[in-house]
Structure formats: structure tokens, C-alpha cells
Amino acid sequence: MSAPTLAWLAAPQGGWPALGRPGGRPAWQLALFVLALSLPAAAQVPPAVAASAVRPVIALRVALVGTMGQQAVLVIDGGAPRGLKAGESLRGVRLVSVGASDAVIEVEGQRHTLVMGAAPQDLAGINRAAAAGGGPRQIVLQGDARGHFTTPGSINGRGVQFLVDTGATVIAIGKSEADRLGLPYQQGQRVGLRTANGEAVGWRVSLTSVRIGEVEIYNVDAVVQPAEMPFILLGNSFLTRFQMKRENDTLTLDRRF
């Protein structure tokens, strides 16, 4: 009997359907099933073995150890450092973008932000959490000596640096940073802005995705302003999606919806 026939005969998940009743397998399939039961144990292929024989090897732990121009240097499952350019893949890890100190990767359709020098991300644990409860839902930030909360993250898959600003109505982005991110802000609605340097004209945009750590929010309002900014201000168009709690120098954001 050929291997494809044996693969078909392997019991599907949840066991074999009730046989011999209306809606069950036709007689010729019943005969094949009986024949399979009579084969020696070594000739039958357990479902788990058959699945593992064709399942691609997927990385479980990935760390960013450096950047070289347009390349991110990754250590995958403790192996030797390997350089990848945006769009390239290795062991199921696809590099989406690379910044000065972070990189965005994609594994099995899910994107993850890696920070240079941080501990390797346990992608297996992250994916289990996502499957069980719709993905990670909490962000924990540590304040600096001045009480400010800054964090790396990504906008539309490209690495950025955020500064939490509860006084900002929406996410605020400087024009040069918006250009780097490739945002089509000039197609957005023009809005008047009040800044520390007086009034200015900016552009309202909608960000496809905003990610911090493993938490990603979609369709987030933002404004692009002409002034240069050292950080992207993480305003309330993002923050109101969370329940915020501050204890000393720790800010915890628990996703509400």
C-alpha cells in the first residue's frame, strides 16, 4: 500500500467518525480502514509522526544582537549570529524592518518587536498565549529618573521610540519621522495645532498598527506636525484602549478592547 494511502488512513483529529451509520464512510473506505487495522504496527503512521514529517522548523527563541546598515543580526535558538535584510527569512523568521536599536520580525503571521541587547523572545510562549486569549494584553513600562516613560515600539511594522504623554489627544509624530515611516500624511486632513512655539499646521492620519512589545493596536489616530521631535508622543488615541495603573516608577497598561 502506498504512503499517500497510509496518510489518509491516519485517524483525523478527534478520532474516526462513526462508521456504518447514515452519513458514515462508504463501504470501500470501510474496507481500507479494516485493512489498515490489520497491518503490522510498524507499517502504520501515527498522526503526530506524519504531521511532524512535513511541518517546517520554526524558531522558538530569537534575539537581536546588532545591526549593520540595513541588516539585523539575529541569534535564533542559540545558534550563530546571522544577518538578515528586510524581506529575507531564516528558519521561519522573516525580517520586516530594522531600526537603529530594534527590529520587527514576523513568525507564523505574527509580528514581534526585538530590542537590541534584550533577552531572547520566547515566541512559542507568545504564540500559545495568543492562541489561548487573543494575544498578549499587557504592557509594563519603567520610568526614568525624571518620571518619563519611554519605550521602543513600531508603527506600521517600522521601529520607533515612544514617549508616553497623557496630555496629548492623539499620537503626535514629527514630519521627518513621518517621512521615514513612509506615512502619506499630505493626503490627510489639515489641522491647526497649538505647540510650545505657537500655532502650526499639521495633518491628521490613521495608523494601520501601533505595537509595543507584543501588544498591537490597529487603526489609531495620529497627527503629523512640522516641528522636529526627539520622540513620538504616545497620546490618548492609543492610551485610552488600556486601563492604566501607575505604582512608583512602573506604569502598567491592561488592554480594554
Side-chain angles (χ1 to χ4, degrees):
M1 188 175 293
S2 64
T5 303
L6 285 175
W8 180 88
L9 290 172
Q13 185 174 3
W16 290 96
L19 302 173
R21 67 182 184 189
R25 298 282 184 181
W28 66 270
Q29 292 184 349
L30 289 174
L32 286 175
F33 174 61
V34 172
L35 177 59
L37 292 180
S38 67
L39 291 174
Q44 300 184 40
V45 182
V49 174
S52 63
V54 298
R55 183 181 297 126
V57 177
I58 299 298
L60 299 180
R61 297 177 66 84
V62 183
L64 175 66
V65 298
T67 60
M68 297 187 302
Q70 299 300 312
Q71 284 192 330
V73 182
L74 306 179
V75 171
I76 301 175
D77 287 340
R82 295 288 299 272
L84 291 180
K85 294 181 179 179
E88 293 182 337
S89 299
L90 178 66
R91 294 195 58 199
V93 177
R94 185 175 74 88
L95 181 65
V96 177
S97 64
V98 57
S101 60
D102 62 359
V104 178
I105 61 173
E106 184 175 277
V107 178
E108 293 188 311
Q110 294 198 26
R111 292 190 175 185
H112 310 270
T113 300
L114 304 177
V115 179
M116 191 184 307
Q121 286 206 20
D122 181 2
L123 302 184
I126 291 170
N127 290 339
R128 282 195 301 269
R137 304 184 65 84
Q138 187 179 83
I139 300 169
V140 179
L141 304 176
Q142 297 298 320
D144 60 19
R146 297 174 297 174
H148 295 161
F149 294 91
T150 61
T151 179
S154 67
I155 290 177
N156 297 353
R158 303 203 65 175
V160 298
Q161 284 284 348
F162 289 113
L163 170 65
V164 174
D165 185 354
T166 57
T169 304
V170 298
I171 290 177
I173 308 171
K175 181 177 178 295
S176 61
E177 184 73 345
D179 288 332
R180 184 184 72 83
L181 295 172
L183 300 178
Y185 60 89
Q186 292 180 336
Q187 300 175 16
Q189 178 187 1
R190 291 169 67 89
V191 295
L193 303 174
R194 292 182 180 178
T195 70
N197 298 321
E199 295 186 355
V201 176
W203 298 266
R204 183 180 295 276
V205 297
S206 179
L207 306 176
T208 302
S209 67
V210 177
R211 175 185 285 264
I212 296 177
E214 298 309 320
V215 179
E216 189 165 23
I217 303 296
Y218 300 95
N219 302 320
V220 184
D221 288 337
V223 66
V224 175
Q225 63 179 41
E228 297 295 326
M229 301 170 59
F231 296 96
I232 291 177
L233 300 183
L234 193 65
N236 287 316
S237 56
F238 180 89
L239 297 174
T240 53
R241 308 276 187 102
F242 298 83
Q243 180 70 40
M244 293 190 292
K245 180 181 179 180
R246 179 173 179 173
E247 293 183 356
N248 299 321
D249 293 331
T250 301
L251 178 65
T252 302
L253 306 178
D254 287 300
R255 186 170 178 175
R256 298 167 52 209
F257 58 91

